[in-house]
Amino acid sequence: MKATVNTALRLNGIRVRTAPPRWKLPCANTECSLHQLSPYIGKIKSSIAADLIERYSEPGDLVVDPFAGAGTIPFEAAIRGRRALAADISSYARILAQAKLAPPPSLDAALVLAETALDEAALLPAPDLNEVPAWVREFYHPRTLSEALNFATVCRRPGNEFLMACFLGILHHQRPGFLSYPSSHLVPYLRNRQFPRQDFPEMYAYRELKPRLLAKVRRSYKRFATPTKRAVLPFRQTAVEILTLPRQFGALITSPPYMNALDYGRDNRLRLWFIAPNLANNVDNDVTQRRQAFVNALSSLATKAERGLKPKGYCVYVVGEAIKRTFDGHPSNVVVTIMHQQAPSLRLKTVMADQIPDVRRTRRECKGVKTEHVLVFQRS
Ligand SMILES: C[S@@+](CC[C@H](N)C(=O)[O-])C[C@H]1O[C@@H](n2cnc3c(N)ncnc32)[C@H](O)[C@@H]1O
């Protein structure tokens, strides 16, 4: 028997409203191009993040996002006169969020940084490709891989997160501006059946890093905005369970991991390998895998919200709804139950449902996340 999505029109007595129609409008050509540094699974649309920030926080508020991912919510908060605190367990999230929240101040400065790093990388000794795992090697022409390995070495130095983010953003895809053999962009799969080497030899040729990286840097500054330094608190790479939050904050706006539906470690495996090649199976977290881990993480967060949210402040969760037979509780219901138990001074005020169109879904053919619920709690 197939599991069904909870389509009830009420959640905990609150009528489920349809999300504002403007959330459906595309924003790829209007948002700040730093949002497009590199793809991130489960990333919230920047226009939705902006809307939630405008509605549920005030200028000057500290907005906290403990599952910050690519930093979409903290970035939109910080350019809207709020202060932002971003945290996430993932090293890939750390790089994207730091790149976005503290990029070089101008395109010229970014190009100088990139040229200097490319020069430094060119001076490093040639890497031993035999030390690279076969599953990584199969994505690249050997010369491209040598350049990529040395450039990643330079990018791993603290302060080079923006360059690392640009590099990760061109790591795999089939378009000419990318470094790999033909493969998908979001999740790394070779497309050598679709593009056999004998029929598409140009797709398997050497791809020089430098012009591609510089073009990527330029693209990142197409629509540029940057938060002031004062607006951004240092990124915390940590599990939410051990995250310490400031004594008081104005709003908590976050999208928790999609329980059961997405596997961040597997889906980001190539990028994670370049970030930390020595950490094989550099897996981000196990929250997305197991219900109990999700419950633990959300319980810990609820306690922190109960303790630190300012009076009348909002706590907003954008909860992905996973359809999975093995999971016996709807994620929104789970979040509401946890909040009821751990954060009794916060009341559920609004519930919105947003259907995710296929184009925004990660794996289109699979049974993945289909709707998101936005749960808005307010401190009494
Ligand atoms: C739905 S994504 C957030 C996406 C983000 N809003 C964005 O726009 O990119 C959920 C995030 O939770 C993080 N995560 C999973 N388990 C965690 C934990 N225990 N503590 C902190 N972060 C965790 C994942 O690494 C992932 O980045």
Side-chain angles (χ1 to χ4, degrees):
M1 201 182 77
K2 277 192 177 170
T4 51
V5 190
N6 181 354
T7 51
L9 295 175
R10 301 189 89 80
L11 183 61
N12 223 35
I14 305 281
R15 189 171 63 83
V16 178
R17 297 196 213 156
T18 311
R22 63 180 174 281
W23 286 11
K24 297 268 177 276
L25 299 175
C27 63
N29 293 325
T30 50
E31 69 181 2
C32 172
S33 22
L34 291 174
H35 282 304
Q36 294 160 17
L37 279 172
S38 190
Y40 198 87
I41 290 159
K43 187 168 93 167
I44 190 172
K45 225 170 148 182
S46 61
S47 52
I48 298 179
D51 213 27
L52 294 175
I53 288 154
E54 297 281 1
R55 279 185 193 216
Y56 299 115
S57 70
E58 292 170 18
D61 271 351
L62 174 61
V63 176
V64 172
D65 183 356
F67 301 112
T72 320
I73 295 169
F75 179 84
E76 288 296 326
I79 60 169
R80 287 184 157 65
R82 281 72 172 162
R83 288 176 304 131
L85 171 57
D88 197 289
I89 199 169
S90 155
S91 46
Y92 181 38
R94 173 183 63 78
I95 285 162
L96 292 192
Q98 287 182 322
K100 199 173 285 179
L101 291 166
S106 65
L107 173 60
D108 285 347
L111 288 173
V112 169
L113 194 74
E115 298 261 13
T116 310
L118 286 161
D119 290 346
E120 279 180 58
L123 294 175
L124 294 178
D128 181 356
L129 298 191
N130 292 319
E131 287 182 4
V132 176
W135 71 268
V136 175
R137 263 185 284 149
E138 69 178 6
F139 279 88
Y140 301 97
H141 186 284
R143 258 177 87 193
T144 307
L145 181 55
S146 294
E147 291 179 7
L149 290 168
N150 280 357
F151 189 65
T153 301
V154 176
C155 289
R156 282 195 287 274
R157 296 180 193 152
N160 280 347
E161 290 78 15
F162 173 78
L163 291 182
M164 181 59 111
C166 288
F167 169 71
L168 297 174
I170 57 167
L171 209 48
H172 50 87
H173 199 357
Q174 67 225 24
R175 294 204 191 128
F178 291 74
L179 298 172
S180 70
Y181 294 150
S183 54
S184 43
H185 189 28
L186 191 59
V187 176
Y189 290 108
L190 277 171
R191 289 188 167 149
N192 43 8
R193 284 212 194 123
Q194 195 180 345
F195 301 104
R197 195 183 273 259
Q198 62 276 20
D199 299 337
F200 299 90
E202 73 288 353
M203 293 180 106
Y204 295 83
Y206 160 60
R207 294 178 176 218
E208 191 186 352
L209 169 67
K210 183 172 180 172
R212 291 174 171 81
L213 195 271
L214 295 178
K216 173 71 187 174
V217 170
R218 285 195 192 90
R219 289 201 293 281
S220 308
Y221 281 76
K222 208 168 157 193
R223 288 175 304 280
F224 185 66
T226 186
T228 60
K229 280 203 175 122
R230 277 189 55 247
V232 179
L233 275 67
F235 182 91
R236 319 247 179 107
Q237 188 185 342
T238 178
V240 72
E241 293 87 337
I242 50 175
L243 172 69
T244 48
L245 291 179
R247 208 167 45 83
Q248 198 178 63
F249 42 90
L252 191 152
I253 305 179
T254 195
S255 48
Y258 290 158
M259 185 165 45
N260 280 346
L262 304 171
D263 183 335
Y264 290 88
R266 190 191 60 198
D267 292 348
N268 290 316
R269 60 191 176 278
L270 203 43
R271 297 188 176 99
L272 289 170
W273 187 84
F274 276 95
I275 293 168
N278 299 331
L279 284 183
N281 300 325
N282 176 357
V283 172
D284 284 349
N285 63 80
D286 64 358
V287 167
T288 53
Q289 301 299 298
R290 293 183 293 112
R291 179 180 195 273
Q292 192 52 49
F294 180 89
V295 170
N296 294 347
L298 270 290
S299 300
S300 158
L301 184 55
T303 314
K304 294 179 214 290
E306 172 73 11
R307 207 182 299 139
L309 192 64
K310 75 172 187 185
K312 305 276 177 217
Y314 289 98
C315 177
V316 181
Y317 296 98
V318 182
V319 185
E321 311 289 0
I323 306 170
K324 202 117 187 191
R325 243 189 289 183
T326 51
F327 179 59
D328 55 1
H330 206 259
S332 297
N333 288 327
V334 175
V335 174
V336 169
T337 306
I338 290 171
M339 288 296 284
H340 185 65
Q341 289 166 353
Q342 310 290 341
S345 76
L346 275 72
R347 289 280 145 79
L348 184 62
K349 290 283 178 177
T350 306
V351 180
M352 283 180 276
D354 186 23
Q355 300 292 328
I356 302 181
D358 229 23
V359 287
R360 263 183 63 210
R361 285 175 50 202
T362 310
R363 294 184 218 104
R364 295 184 193 175
E365 304 310 323
C366 75
K367 286 181 185 163
V369 173
K370 290 201 169 162
T371 62
E372 281 168 343
H373 275 177
V374 179
L375 309 177
V376 182
F377 297 84
Q378 187 177 26
R379 178 150 220 167
S380 46

